[in-house]
Amino acid sequence: MGFGGWGGGPMFGGGGRPGAPAAPGLPFGGIPSELQDGVDALLAEEPDHGEPDLDFSQHQSAKERRRLSLRGLLLEYPRMLVISTILVIVTSVALQAGPKLTQLAVDKGMTTGHRHLSVVLVIAAIYLAFVGFTSITQRALVKVTGRLAAGVMNDLRVKVFSHLQRLSLDFFTAEKAGVVMTRMTSDIENLQQLLQDGLAQFAIQGLTMIVITVILFTTNVSLALITVLLVVPALVVMSLWFRVASERGYDRVRDGIANVMADLSESLHGVRVVTAHNRQRFNIFHHRNVVGEYRDANIYTAQINAVYGPGTQLVGWLGQAALLGIGGEMVVHHSLSPGALIAFFLYLNRFFAPIQLLVQQYNGFQQGQASVLKLRTLLSSEPTVTQAPDAVELPLIEGEIVFDNVTFGYDPDVPVLRDVNLRIAPGETVAFVGPTGAGKSTLAKLITRFYDPTVGHVRIDGHDIEGVTLDSLRRQLGVVPQEPFLFAGTIRDNLAFARPSASDAEVAEAVRAVGLTELVERMPEGVDTVVHERGQSLSSGERQLIALGRAFLAHPRVLVLDEATSNLDLQSETRIEAALDVLLEARTAVLIAHRLSTAMKADRIVVVDNGRIVEAGPHAELVARQGRYAEMYAAWVNHSEHSAEPAAS
Ligand code: ADP
């Protein structure tokens, strides 16, 4: 059964890949041999990403997901972790050899009684060797942590993305899409920063402080005590203040820039409305305020930085002055060597950088931790529609659909559908009509198991769809949404979306069946023409035809079709109706009809109102019954005498 009759279209030109790109100019003669070597070398170096190792069974993934922590992520790469730890230790220790060597050179080679050029030269050479050594270890460290970060980020991105693919539709509300994008961009970015540079630096600076403290105490205890007691408390107090203040400041900066971007984007997207309502002046005024807040936030953080940076330097200089006095006195009384005093000075300088860096890195560290936490929350959201552990394959179906006492609400406490009982026979075309928000689309979503009923069951050929595997169910269902979504790729890719393995002949058949021939012939490269982002280069009628072709090619037994509400020109309308005739032929079809002209051609019309089925039957019967449908129909007939076709919903 269908809409009656096949909509004939012009025949599509034969098998083979129609319209394959015919490159202008000379025929392709292969890669010249001298280039081929280079290509081989390149290919040999290409990393092998292997088969994607994805597991869609929910049970294991739940266990996996719980593990998400910074430590857990890093431990996936134990070898690199060990290497980078060793490199961090070696680097932080080796970096501190300089002042100690200077001390030796001064005391053993430059002071009265010890003037030995050879000693100075040997120590200078050793110094040079250390410089070379640390530059090598630092390079290795950056390389290893870079690889580590890249690996961890890659794993995380795949993990989050595959989790998103696994989640049920209720997760993807418009509001959540923004959150997900933030997780995938800024949160993962934060982590990348932290892993690539932050963690290693954090460790190096921390270790450096410990190493310097140890060296200071082994060089001269009393001087070390003076240094530590004078300098460290002042620095700690300042750093604690800075951390709190800068966190507040950066929060304000982040909010500020977010507001600026939001305001900008709103003005750009709404530019027509803005112009039409003469809001330009007001918008400038508003934007000035938003930008002003951002400026104030930046001024605030600049002020904090101005206090902290120079402030810590001041503490350092004061420390040095005290050291010069006290240490100088010790040198005069021979209780300290001049070399040791110089070493102290040098170490003192090196003491500040780590503290300042640690404070800065700490912010990054906290942001990274916060990001891990947010990602963990995202990863621990469970799909609501899950496959039962004992789910069976749905065998080839005839296409009988039964709603058995179904009640459903997106929020279980607020039912959207109530006590729905309906049987759709195999091969029948049923149109759902009713006011907007009545629950028509929701009924359709239950058939495809985008959601599960709160009460009752949906059965296909007698199988409760909650008991069959999701794959085997959805393989036999076709869905054509109201707004067809085209993916980046060629027309062919989009047609063969559900069955990428479809042969050229099958694609050609689909093109012919839904009446896309004319469009395809008009395209420069036929079905291999790349459609622009979301098919914006095609008309909405053409996009719908492609969506119908996609459904045709998938050969579903049951088709769920949300009729497009957008107004099409008469010609597109006729073509789509013809395509529907072909598509609905000999399969069960559920049609969410927004136009009565479409609905009245179905085998049966089901009137949905406020979550209940109020009437069901063929067009003529319902009109004769003088109920809700007859009312709608009368209104439509009345209306269409005055204007073009009205919407049914
Ligand atoms: P129709 O297709 O008849 O216009 P729907 O089935 O789309 O109606 O919607 C029925 C009711 O469910 C409406 O009140 C609508 O607001 C609500 N609804 C639809 N989708 C969602 C959703 N994803 N989350 C929460 N409520 C929803």
Side-chain angles (χ1 to χ4, degrees):
M1 280 172 253
F3 272 14
W6 286 73
M11 297 298 276
F12 187 81
R17 191 96 168 234
L26 292 171
F28 181 61
I31 302 173
S33 57
E34 65 271 23
L35 283 181
Q36 184 65 50
D37 293 344
V39 171
D40 289 343
L42 269 181
L43 283 180
E45 270 183 29
E46 271 300 295
D48 180 12
H49 293 292
E51 281 291 300
D53 175 23
L54 295 179
D55 186 359
F56 269 73
S57 78
Q58 269 96 26
H59 306 282
Q60 190 178 348
S61 65
K63 197 176 77 201
E64 215 175 74
R65 270 178 268 139
R66 236 169 270 130
R67 267 212 318 254
L68 186 81
S69 66
L70 209 48
R71 199 182 325 138
L73 284 169
L74 288 171
L75 284 177
E76 298 273 322
Y77 294 86
R79 217 169 65 93
M80 281 197 244
L81 199 59
V82 169
I83 294 178
S84 49
T85 310
I86 293 173
L87 285 171
V88 162
I89 296 174
V90 170
T91 309
S92 351
V93 173
L95 271 176
Q96 301 317 324
K100 205 73 199 162
L101 288 170
T102 312
Q103 176 187 352
L104 273 179
V106 170
D107 287 345
K108 305 289 179 212
M110 302 182 203
T111 44
T112 29
H114 296 94
R115 292 196 191 278
H116 305 296
L117 184 61
S118 56
V119 173
V120 174
L121 288 181
V122 168
I123 293 179
I126 296 175
Y127 200 137
L128 197 65
F130 264 102
V131 170
F133 178 69
T134 46
S135 84
I136 291 171
T137 58
Q138 272 181 319
R139 177 170 169 267
L141 181 63
V142 172
K143 205 166 148 183
V144 174
T145 50
R147 287 185 81 115
L148 185 64
V152 170
M153 285 301 112
N154 186 61
D155 293 354
L156 197 60
R157 285 204 160 93
V158 171
K159 206 178 219 175
V160 176
F161 187 83
S162 37
H163 181 65
L164 289 177
Q165 295 285 311
R166 208 161 16 208
L167 281 178
S168 311
L169 283 192
D170 55 347
F171 182 82
F172 298 97
T173 55
E175 161 219 7
K176 288 244 176 83
V179 176
V180 171
M181 279 314 274
T182 323
R183 296 288 162 275
M184 287 302 256
T185 51
S186 75
D187 280 323
I188 288 197
E189 216 54 47
N190 274 346
L191 264 181
Q192 177 144 6
Q193 284 280 323
L194 180 64
L195 290 176
Q196 209 154 34
D197 202 38
L199 272 187
Q201 281 301 323
F202 203 68
I204 289 190
Q205 305 310 337
L207 262 178
T208 301
M209 285 188 59
I210 296 172
V211 170
I212 292 185
T213 312
V214 169
I215 294 179
L216 287 184
F217 273 93
T218 52
T219 311
N220 185 302
V221 177
S222 45
L223 213 50
L225 270 178
I226 292 169
T227 316
V228 170
L229 290 182
L230 269 180
V231 170
V232 173
L235 277 183
V236 167
V237 169
M238 288 183 70
S239 299
L240 287 180
W241 165 80
F242 177 74
R243 224 193 69 206
V244 175
S246 74
E247 231 162 73
R248 195 182 320 133
Y250 283 113
D251 274 351
R252 273 180 63 184
V253 169
R254 262 195 304 276
D255 288 350
I257 189 67
N259 288 339
V260 170
M261 296 316 271
D263 194 53
L264 184 65
S265 137
E266 203 177 80
S267 299
L268 289 180
H269 284 127
V271 66
R272 285 189 189 79
V273 186
V274 170
T275 315
H277 292 279
N278 280 327
R279 290 272 290 196
Q280 294 97 325
R281 264 170 201 288
F282 176 84
N283 275 8
I284 295 171
F285 181 69
H286 185 253
H287 198 71
R288 202 182 272 167
N289 283 342
V290 175
V291 172
E293 272 169 36
Y294 180 48
R295 175 201 55 205
D296 292 346
N298 276 321
I299 292 178
Y300 175 74
T301 55
Q303 276 168 344
I304 292 172
N305 285 327
V307 173
Y308 181 68
T312 44
Q313 254 166 5
L314 180 68
V315 172
W317 290 328
L318 288 176
Q320 282 179 347
L323 210 61
L324 187 63
I326 302 168
E329 191 255 0
M330 288 176 163
V331 172
V332 171
H333 290 111
H334 296 290
S335 56
L336 186 76
S337 71
L341 184 63
I342 293 172
F344 254 88
F345 263 93
L346 292 174
Y347 279 125
L348 198 63
N349 266 336
R350 291 171 172 224
F351 206 63
F352 297 109
I355 295 185
Q356 286 179 346
L357 278 172
L358 273 179
V359 172
Q360 282 160 14
Q361 306 277 347
Y362 186 77
N363 279 341
F365 187 69
Q366 274 202 323
Q367 273 174 20
Q369 281 287 12
S371 295
V372 170
L373 218 67
K374 287 184 204 152
L375 284 167
R376 190 187 295 165
T377 317
L378 173 63
L379 286 181
S380 57
S381 48
E382 294 284 343
T384 43
V385 173
T386 52
Q387 182 169 307
D390 54 352
V392 294
E393 283 275 307
L394 180 65
L396 266 190
I397 52 171
E398 288 284 313
E400 182 206 44
I401 305 169
V402 173
F403 283 87
D404 182 1
N405 217 4
V406 167
T407 294
F408 170 77
Y410 294 94
D411 171 355
D413 298 331
V414 188
V416 169
L417 297 175
R418 294 182 197 85
D419 308 319
V420 174
N421 284 294
L422 178 70
R423 176 182 178 271
I424 301 171
E428 192 181 18
T429 299
V430 167
F432 289 154
V433 300
T436 306
K440 306 180 294 288
S441 317
T442 309
L443 274 172
K445 287 179 204 161
L446 294 186
I447 299 176
T448 45
R449 232 197 133 195
F450 288 166
Y451 298 87
D452 285 332
T454 320
V455 181
H457 303 279
V458 179
R459 295 203 174 84
I460 293 188
D461 279 17
H463 299 271
D464 185 341
I465 59 173
E466 288 185 46
V468 300
T469 60
L470 288 168
D471 260 3
S472 67
L473 172 69
R474 296 202 179 127
R475 207 181 308 130
Q476 303 192 55
L477 300 181
V479 179
V480 181
Q482 200 174 76
E483 288 296 329
F485 190 97
L486 297 195
F487 292 86
T490 61
I491 296 183
R492 179 200 165 84
D493 296 338
N494 271 293
L495 284 172
F497 192 71
R499 275 190 40 222
S501 59
S503 70
D504 287 344
E506 283 172 309
V507 173
E509 191 200 348
V511 166
R512 190 172 51 231
V514 299
L516 272 170
T517 315
E518 196 195 317
L519 171 76
V520 166
E521 280 173 354
R522 192 153 40 81
M523 290 286 160
E525 288 169 22
V527 281
D528 291 310
T529 309
V530 173
V531 291
H532 291 192
E533 194 191 355
R534 303 205 181 161
Q536 291 307 320
S537 51
L538 300 173
S539 77
S540 69
E542 287 162 346
R543 284 201 295 275
Q544 277 162 25
L545 285 180
I546 292 181
L548 294 180
R550 186 188 282 166
F552 180 88
L553 200 56
H555 296 311
R557 286 298 310 144
V558 172
L559 191 73
V560 177
L561 203 145
D562 200 345
E563 189 190 24
T565 42
S566 56
N567 280 322
L568 297 174
D569 56 282
L570 215 58
Q571 198 191 3
S572 303
E573 192 100 35
T574 320
R575 273 205 239 144
I576 285 173
E577 280 187 13
L580 279 180
D581 282 343
V582 178
L583 200 58
L584 303 190
E585 180 76 23
R587 31 178 77 99
T588 312
V590 170
L591 221 126
I592 301 161
H594 299 284
R595 276 175 266 258
L596 281 193
S597 58
T598 322
M600 58 196 277
K601 287 188 244 166
D603 299 324
R604 202 148 53 108
I605 294 163
V606 170
V607 183
V608 186
D609 191 12
N610 201 13
R612 292 177 199 278
I613 293 179
V614 291
E615 268 175 19
H619 171 73
E621 194 184 307
L622 288 188
V623 171
R625 199 186 286 175
Q626 292 296 319
R628 273 300 295 277
Y629 181 76
E631 241 171 68
M632 287 162 68
Y633 182 65
W636 175 64
V637 171
N638 201 359
H639 193 86
S640 45
E641 277 167 13
H642 302 292
S643 65
E645 198 162 289
S649 60

